[in-house]
Amino acid sequence: LLPAMRCFYFITVALAQQNPPVWPSTVKVFGPGDPGIQAAVDAAYATNGGKQDHGQFSTSNYAFLFKPGTYTEDVPVGFYTQVVGLGDSPDDVIFVGSKGVYCEEGDSQFSIGALDTFWRSAENFRSTSSYNWFGGSYGMLWAVSQAAPLRRVHVDTNLVLFQYESGDAAGFASGGYMSNSVVEGQVTSGSQQQWFTRNSRVGGWLQGVWNMVFVGVDSAPSNHCGTDGGIPVVTAPETPAIAEKPYITIDGDGLYYLNIPAVRFDSVGVEWSAAAKVGFDQVFVAREGDSAATINSKLKEGMHVVFSAGTYIFQESIEVTHPDTVLLGLGLPILVSGAGKPVISVGNVDGVRVAGVLLEAGPVKSSTLLQWGDGGYGGNAMNPGVLSDVFARSGGPNRFPQVETETMITVATGNVIGDNLWLWRADHTDAGHTTPADNPCSHGALIEGNDVIMYGLAVEHTLQDLTIWSGNRGQAYFYQSELPYGVTQQQWGDKGYVGYRVADTVTEHQAFGVGVYHYFRDYPVVAHTGIQAPASLASSFHSPLVVFLNGYGTVEHVINDYGTSTHSNGQGGAVVATWCGGAPAPPPPPPPTPTPTPSGSCNVGDVVQCPGKTTNCAGNQCCPDNSVCPSADDSWDMCTYPKMYDCTTGLTWVV
């Protein structure tokens, strides 16, 4: 007889992790009355906080986790610091100190203020703060810019989103994001240039500079396009689809749970009810020094991963191939592409959540820092993938002599939701200002999948189109961007690059509060438009805007050929153009025919071409970028900027 046939089955079995986990030193867990809380948070702030944006490129990260109970400590929040309550409800962890949990602007000089107050967060607690910060502005202070979210916070008093210290004005601020929160009193946004609020309830909202966007917010202000006659507000009454960010809780026995909120549709207001719980025996807690291979082995076992505060330099991608997997960062862990691979690669699977991480370009050029799908899967509307508080950067810390990535985030799968993303090509580093040759990155976001929704997307300083949206039926709720500072006319204006592009093949797209800002620092660049979309979709943009911040140059239109130009008004300060619908701007009159002049030279008063333009000028006139006409008399100085070149003495570039 033949021996019995034997079949062997190889099954991957997840080995249970320790619960409670052994946290590294970068994660501190406190209980009410524990000694040393104030000393610990103050020490972190001394490293990563204070004026002159101290700690902006620090190598230290901190996560402070607070068990349910009441705390009298005041907790300042600096760079790479996260304050998290461990209760099932925000009301389970209460800060009753005068200041409570707070963030001050990073610089006392008002023209800097909170403009660089990045990379921090506060979540899942209640604040009774009553501190009078300035001039009767009392309550919880959160004077921040990008990548500094508030989530699941209950503020008993007021919420103040800016700071006045001294001088001529309140500190400038370029925020910001809040969701799933309740503010019983007023929110005062003050000098905040823009702000995005989702699924919250507020007692009132005061002030707004350029672009205040509300989605699914109970008691949100009414829509008002532009700054004439009111504050600029874009309000969408319901949030079409969202799953709140995963969060961590602890029970009475000291066991930890990963909470995974369900997807909601057409929602208004907060969601603080119980979420699906996964015990930490099924969660791998990564710590600085763990390799991608180690983490991937846990993911293959079907585990979720929590990245502890720290910096991880990966030689391979973190690969997510199981549906419904959660990657959650604590203390804004920095995940670096060390060998030119995407930091995170998500397969064609449903329900993946990636949250609370900072992705960073490395010394070898990568195609992207996050790759979601391969383009062959349409996703699942009932179980979408979600990115929450996912930030990326090319440059900033001088970790390597040069860093580079082609794109920061690529979404190739359909039915993915982004919720608070800031994608930053650094305009400054530890060493000072950057040029286009430094830390190159072409695009912030490539959105290729259909039915993708982005809430609170911000992209800054990339060297080509900042965002390209080629997927159909996309929805964007709040977009903030800054064009690159140091580019020339040939590098930007002549190439037709824009801050936000919807591909010609797209037939459906909705966008609410899309803003493109420009500060052409070094050259008088002229760009045709800030936003480019198929002509049939222009009316699907609600209150788009372009803002001249400073420097030289002009953007001629807001979207396509619609909207007025933005350039210096000669009086200092920003110039805003918001398109509220209507016909395209009329074409400019044809330029006069220039009088022939010798090549490279002219006489005072000759008709000559303005820098970087087909527009002509003659003698003592200002060009569209407010620079002096090249054929003006040398003593004439009535424009904002001097001659970009002077043809009266030969073709000489004078910038």
Side-chain angles (χ1 to χ4, degrees):
L1 294 175
L2 294 174
M5 296 183 66
R6 298 179 180 178
C7 296
F8 296 90
Y9 297 93
F10 295 91
I11 302 174
T12 301
V13 178
L15 298 177
Q17 299 296 296
Q18 186 171 337
N19 190 7
V22 178
W23 298 107
S25 61
T26 56
V27 178
K28 303 291 187 186
V29 181
F30 301 121
D34 283 354
I37 297 177
Q38 194 67 61
V41 298
D42 287 348
Y45 194 72
T47 301
N48 280 10
K51 299 306 180 184
Q52 286 74 55
D53 291 307
H54 178 66
Q56 183 174 179
F57 300 117
S58 166
T59 58
S60 299
N61 295 62
Y62 303 95
F64 296 125
L65 280 53
F66 290 84
K67 297 177 183 178
T70 299
Y71 296 84
T72 59
E73 290 81 7
D74 291 326
V75 183
V77 183
F79 288 100
Y80 314 109
T81 301
Q82 184 182 29
V83 175
V84 179
L86 293 175
D88 287 310
S89 163
D91 293 332
D92 293 339
V93 175
I94 307 175
F95 290 92
V96 298
S98 176
K99 295 180 178 180
V101 177
Y102 67 97
C103 178
E104 295 190 81
E105 63 184 7
D107 199 292
S108 298
Q109 183 179 339
F110 77 85
S111 61
I112 300 175
L115 290 179
D116 295 332
T117 307
F118 312 137
W119 302 310
R120 65 201 71 200
S121 69
E123 304 177 31
N124 201 26
F125 59 82
R126 184 173 183 175
S127 172
T128 68
S129 172
S130 59
Y131 191 78
N132 184 0
W133 294 97
F134 53 90
S137 293
Y138 68 93
M140 179 177 175
L141 178 69
W142 196 252
V144 299
S145 286
Q146 298 90 346
L150 283 177
R151 289 181 180 267
R152 285 178 65 89
V153 171
H154 188 178
V155 180
D156 280 4
T157 54
N158 300 314
L159 177 62
V160 183
L161 300 178
F162 73 109
Q163 191 169 5
Y164 174 82
E165 296 190 69
S166 62
D168 296 332
F172 292 177
S174 185
Y177 176 94
M178 178 173 70
S179 69
N180 205 21
S181 295
V182 171
V183 180
E184 302 290 356
Q186 300 274 2
V187 179
T188 307
S189 58
S191 56
Q192 281 288 352
Q193 297 167 354
Q194 65 282 320
W195 192 275
F196 177 74
T197 306
R198 180 187 58 70
N199 285 98
S200 296
R201 174 168 58 83
V202 297
W205 193 282
L206 299 176
Q207 304 161 346
V209 179
W210 299 330
N211 190 28
M212 320 308 284
V213 179
F214 303 84
V215 179
V217 175
D218 190 4
S219 302
S222 299
N223 276 296
H224 183 273
C225 184
T227 57
D228 292 339
I231 67 171
V233 170
V234 182
T235 295
E238 296 179 335
T239 303
I242 192 62
E244 299 296 343
K245 180 181 177 182
Y247 58 99
I248 297 171
T249 57
I250 191 171
D251 69 11
D253 296 322
L255 300 179
Y256 287 77
Y257 297 89
L258 179 64
N259 296 255
I260 309 172
V263 182
R264 293 193 291 160
F265 300 94
D266 301 325
S267 60
V268 179
V270 300
E271 175 54 85
W272 293 350
S273 59
K277 289 181 178 288
V278 177
F280 258 60
D281 57 314
Q282 295 301 309
V283 177
F284 176 67
V285 176
R287 61 182 62 208
E288 185 175 307
D290 284 344
S291 67
T294 296
I295 296 167
N296 284 336
S297 69
K298 301 301 181 182
L299 289 169
K300 289 177 181 177
E301 293 175 6
M303 294 215 168
H304 306 285
V305 173
V306 168
F307 293 93
S308 301
T311 299
Y312 303 71
I313 300 178
F314 292 135
Q315 304 304 306
E316 300 291 336
S317 300
I318 300 300
E319 297 180 348
V320 181
T321 57
H322 285 253
D324 303 313
T325 299
V326 174
L327 304 182
L328 176 63
L330 285 179
L332 281 82
I334 301 167
L335 313 183
V336 183
S337 173
K341 305 287 182 64
V343 178
I344 296 174
S345 177
V346 179
N348 294 338
V349 294
D350 297 331
V352 172
R353 312 282 179 94
V354 178
V357 293
L358 171 54
L359 313 178
E360 185 175 298
V364 181
K365 183 179 180 179
S366 53
S367 59
T368 188
L369 298 179
L370 185 149
Q371 179 71 46
W372 200 297
D374 61 11
Y377 183 53
N380 182 347
M382 302 307 295
N383 190 19
V386 185
L387 300 103
S388 307
D389 299 344
V390 173
F391 314 124
R393 67 187 180 192
S394 181
N398 292 327
R399 208 181 309 279
F400 306 102
Q402 176 72 300
V403 298
E404 184 172 4
T405 185
E406 178 65 18
T407 301
M408 295 192 214
I409 287 181
T410 303
V411 179
T413 292
N415 287 289
V416 172
I417 298 171
D419 188 34
N420 190 33
L421 281 63
W422 183 46
L423 316 176
W424 184 63
R425 176 184 162 266
D427 61 291
H428 62 276
T429 70
D430 273 337
H433 290 157
T434 62
T435 72
D438 300 317
N439 47 286
C441 174
S442 295
H443 313 287
L446 298 181
I447 303 173
E448 301 165 352
N450 294 332
D451 305 294
V452 172
I453 304 175
M454 287 285 164
Y455 303 105
L457 173 61
V459 182
E460 295 192 319
H461 313 307
T462 67
L463 298 173
Q464 297 180 27
D465 291 335
L466 276 69
T467 291
I468 302 177
W469 204 308
S470 57
N472 236 327
R473 297 180 299 279
Q475 299 177 66
Y477 296 87
F478 180 92
Y479 179 79
Q480 180 265 326
S481 64
E482 282 188 18
L483 305 183
Y485 290 170
V487 290
T488 65
Q489 179 67 26
Q490 292 72 30
Q491 291 171 325
W492 187 264
D494 293 350
K495 298 287 182 65
Y497 295 142
V498 294
Y500 187 98
R501 182 180 298 277
V502 179
D504 291 341
T505 55
V506 173
T507 58
E508 295 180 53
H509 189 84
Q510 289 281 335
F512 298 79
V514 172
V516 177
Y517 308 162
H518 63 99
Y519 166 34
F520 294 124
R521 183 188 63 207
D522 302 331
Y523 302 101
V525 175
V526 177
H528 177 70
T529 188
I531 304 164
Q532 188 72 48
S536 62
L537 297 179
S539 61
S540 299
F541 281 73
H542 305 268
S543 299
L545 66 152
V546 170
V547 182
F548 167 91
L549 296 173
N550 203 343
Y552 306 107
T554 300
V555 174
E556 295 177 315
H557 301 289
V558 176
I559 176 169
N560 298 349
D561 295 325
Y562 296 92
T564 57
S565 66
T566 50
H567 52 76
S568 173
N569 59 12
Q571 301 173 0
V575 177
V576 184
T578 303
W579 183 61
C580 299
T593 303
T595 303
T597 59
S599 176
S601 64
C602 69
N603 297 313
V604 172
D606 282 348
V607 177
V608 296
Q609 192 176 90
C610 284
K613 292 283 292 180
T614 58
T615 302
N616 295 316
C617 62
N620 295 345
Q621 296 179 347
C622 297
C623 285
D625 62 1
N626 264 325
S627 65
V628 174
C629 178
S631 66
D633 187 279
D634 285 344
S635 63
W636 195 75
D637 61 355
M638 300 303 292
C639 303
T640 305
Y641 305 112
K643 294 181 181 182
M644 297 298 103
Y645 64 86
D646 187 351
C647 60
T648 64
T649 57
L651 189 60
T652 304
W653 193 258
V654 297
V655 171

